Amino acid sequence: MSLTTTPIEQIPTVVAGARAAVAQGRTTPLAWRVDTLRRLRALLVAHEDALLDALAADFAKPRPEAWLSELGFTLSDIDHTLAHVALWAAPEKVATPLTFKPGRSEIHHEPLGVVCVIAPWNYPVQLLLVPMVAAIAAGNAVVAKPSELAPATSDALAALITALGDPAVALVQGGVAETTALLTERFDHILYTGNGRVARVVMRAAADHLTPVTLELGGKSPAIVTASANIDVAARRIAWGKFLNCGQTCIAPDYVLVERSVHDQLVTAIGNQITEFYGPDPQASADYARIVNDVHFQRLEKLLHAGTVAVGGQTDPDSRYIAPTVVTGVTRADPVMQEEIFGPILPVIAVDSVDEALGVVNADDKPLALYVFTEDDAEAERVLAGATSGGACVNGTLMHISNPNLPFGGVGESGMGAYHGKFGFDTFTHHRSVMTRTTKLDPPMTYPPYTAKKERMIRRGLTLPDPRDLWARVRSARHRR
Ligand code: NAD
């Protein structure tokens, strides 16, 4: 399918339309935010078939999987946001130290202005709309750009946003040329999801306008399976997290490090699980997606030439099919361990200890997700303390990103900043500090000429613990114990 692109000369007009809405103060009122989110929700429901058809056309995304991970995910995020947005947007009262009294202190949550969202192809609906939801909830206008690598979905999203009919929520379609033009515009925040190479391009362009960025990136997310793990459950959850969307998931377990004593058992269990999920011939399964394009197909085929194929390994270039595949006996020098796999190839590597596994993880960049399978809580704690990651899940994969009460974001090479739920609202909000003082009283202690008495009073006022801090100290002490 050919890609629809926004004429480059129109891009400044689209951004200007969004900026005009901000300048008119149209996007700030809570009523606009709630109304826009409600209408977006209704349109998402109305356009469900068109979106699911487009996802199937782009890379055979199975319908139930697409609904769960794309539409359902976005609807639940909108519902969570609608339930909380009034509270999040309300001014927040905070304590005022004695020295600065009489006065009261508040944090006001202000929109930033015009937000730019640039999304990738692998979950093209939710990775575009969920950041947009957060930007709208925070009272911003938003200009979003879906990925050119999912062209049918890009068109379906354009139809949805056009139906919204508000220049404050706009879409630009296209690839590198259009995104390059878009990035010359001045935004008040850019959220980019994709790979680290383009993230650097985005950050450089943002620097020209001193625009803050949130970068949602990828990398190799490891799963560590210890000898104490429930192997059948671990195999099922790893296979699900890996082969969902044909492995094209930023937080898919990229590779497994398993204690040697349970290596063979785990490989067999993952193989059994693949058959249970997709039948004896996954190519015939309606529940298994395809690789997005020929470039990625060829890249992944090359990664198969390492170690021993224990499960799967079949490929079909015509339909861009790669079987759910488990490879064993790979080394860290093999290409499959040198880059993010982003496809249905799962290396399972035996290690002699959890410490060795942590050494492997820490030799690489900080991952977006870290998974540990163990029945031993202390072991889980040791893994969490021994290696950092954007997010983590104990005895599970992917699930941590579905909880809107948890932030979603990377660290180091896997990204900067976070969103989802309140964290998205905060990302697109300026937290403005406002102190209001009365003129009825004007204690002289902070004004010159300074005296020894004034100094004593200032010192006491600033160092006297606030009752709220006392309570925080009690709670901290409890945690330390
Ligand atoms: P992609 O090729 O669709 O690119 C993402 C976006 O960048 C697109 O909108 C594209 O138009 C734009 N782009 C591409 N080249 C550009 C350039 N030179 N200048 C400006 N813009 C450009 O997607 P991708 O990068 O292949 O996505 C896969 C990567 O994204 C993986 O590393 C994956 O782990 C990561 N990812 C991260 C998350 C997350 O939430 N952290 C989610 C999905 C994917």
Side-chain angles (χ1 to χ4, degrees):
M1 154 152 203
S2 65
L3 174 73
T4 313
T5 56
T6 304
I8 286 181
E9 62 279 10
Q10 273 181 22
I11 291 174
T13 314
V14 174
V15 179
R19 192 151 299 283
V22 171
Q24 291 153 9
R26 214 159 52 69
T27 61
T28 303
L30 196 57
W32 178 83
R33 310 181 197 191
V34 169
D35 178 60
T36 306
L37 291 176
R38 284 198 184 131
R39 290 192 307 120
L40 191 63
R41 191 191 196 290
L43 284 168
L44 203 50
V45 173
H47 288 234
E48 175 174 322
D49 275 337
L51 287 163
L52 293 177
D53 288 347
L55 290 163
D58 280 333
F59 50 111
K61 221 185 237 248
R63 263 180 118 79
E65 199 175 287
W67 192 89
L68 174 75
S69 62
E70 297 265 34
L71 280 85
F73 193 98
T74 309
L75 288 172
S76 107
D77 186 78
I78 295 176
D79 291 342
H80 178 82
T81 304
L82 279 170
H84 293 87
V85 65
L87 283 177
W88 295 340
E92 185 184 334
K93 284 197 168 57
V94 294
T96 305
L98 192 61
T99 310
F100 310 115
K101 283 182 176 163
R104 65 189 153 80
S105 305
E106 286 181 342
I107 302 167
H108 289 193
H109 305 292
E110 294 188 340
L112 292 173
V114 183
V115 166
C116 175
V117 173
I118 302 173
W121 53 269
N122 61 330
Y123 289 87
V125 175
Q126 66 125 312
L127 292 175
L128 188 91
L129 292 183
V130 173
M132 289 175 78
V133 166
I136 293 166
N140 300 283
V142 56
V143 179
K145 210 228 41 103
S147 174
E148 68 277 25
L149 298 190
T153 312
S154 176
D155 278 353
L157 287 162
L160 189 155
I161 297 301
T162 303
L164 195 67
D166 185 342
V169 181
L171 204 82
V172 165
Q173 284 183 273
V176 175
E178 290 74 16
T179 320
T180 305
L182 186 64
L183 286 171
T184 62
E185 298 289 321
R186 185 170 70 79
F187 292 102
D188 300 290
H189 197 104
I190 301 172
L191 184 144
Y192 166 81
T193 304
N195 67 73
R197 183 185 56 79
V198 175
R200 286 165 168 82
V201 173
V202 170
M203 208 166 169
R204 270 185 220 113
D208 280 345
H209 299 291
L210 221 56
T211 298
V213 292
T214 300
L215 302 176
E216 298 285 341
L217 313 178
K220 291 181 87 63
S221 295
I224 297 176
V225 180
T226 77
S228 79
N230 179 329
I231 296 298
D232 284 339
V233 173
R236 187 174 312 125
R237 294 178 183 178
I238 289 170
W240 175 72
K242 180 71 182 187
F243 300 115
L244 181 92
N245 212 33
C246 204
Q248 302 164 117
T249 303
C250 55
I251 47 163
D254 186 271
Y255 63 98
V256 176
L257 299 164
V258 54
E259 284 198 278
R260 202 171 296 282
S261 61
V262 290
H263 170 272
D264 293 356
Q265 193 190 342
L266 181 73
V267 171
T268 305
I270 294 175
N272 292 341
Q273 206 51 64
I274 290 170
T275 310
E276 214 166 286
F277 285 166
Y278 307 112
D281 177 14
Q283 192 168 7
S285 168
D287 295 334
Y288 189 62
R290 293 294 183 269
I291 303 304
V292 70
N293 61 21
D294 291 339
V295 173
H296 278 287
F297 179 85
Q298 283 148 18
R299 176 185 66 80
L300 286 161
E301 243 194 344
K302 284 194 198 119
L303 297 184
L304 280 172
H305 305 304
T308 308
V309 172
V311 182
Q314 302 81 2
T315 63
D316 172 21
D318 291 341
S319 60
R320 298 193 305 272
Y321 166 77
I322 297 181
T325 298
V326 178
V327 290
T328 56
V330 300
T331 70
R332 283 165 61 195
D334 287 321
V336 76
M337 288 303 290
Q338 295 288 311
E339 62 178 84
E340 179 182 359
I341 297 169
F342 220 56
I345 302 167
L346 182 67
V348 177
I349 301 168
V351 290
D352 288 319
S353 66
V354 170
D355 283 340
E356 186 187 338
L358 287 171
V360 174
V361 174
N362 286 324
D364 208 342
D365 292 324
K366 293 171 184 170
L368 185 57
L370 174 65
Y371 304 114
V372 52
F373 289 86
T374 174
E375 291 300 297
D376 179 345
D377 290 348
E379 205 166 43
E381 283 302 321
R382 189 148 66 88
V383 170
L384 292 177
T388 190
S389 61
C393 199
V394 177
N395 289 322
T397 59
L398 316 191
M399 289 290 180
H400 60 295
I401 76 147
S402 308
N403 181 350
N405 300 304
L406 291 173
F408 176 50
V411 56
E413 278 289 322
S414 58
M416 62 176 73
Y419 71 116
H420 284 191
K422 169 88 158 56
F423 301 93
F425 178 90
D426 284 342
T427 288
F428 299 122
T429 292
H430 168 54
H431 301 277
R432 184 185 198 186
S433 51
V434 178
M435 190 188 273
T436 307
R437 310 201 67 210
T438 176
T439 53
K440 303 264 181 312
L441 277 170
D442 199 15
M445 69 184 172
T446 52
Y447 300 129
Y450 301 118
T451 61
K453 188 177 169 200
K454 281 185 181 177
E455 192 182 337
R456 268 200 312 279
M457 285 171 74
I458 291 173
R459 281 171 185 263
R460 262 194 92 194
L462 272 181
T463 54
L464 203 70
D466 187 279
R468 294 183 209 206
D469 289 347
L470 281 174
W471 177 227
R473 278 182 205 191
V474 171
R475 282 190 300 171
S476 286
R478 276 193 205 145
H479 269 286
R480 280 202 299 273
R481 265 189 245 129

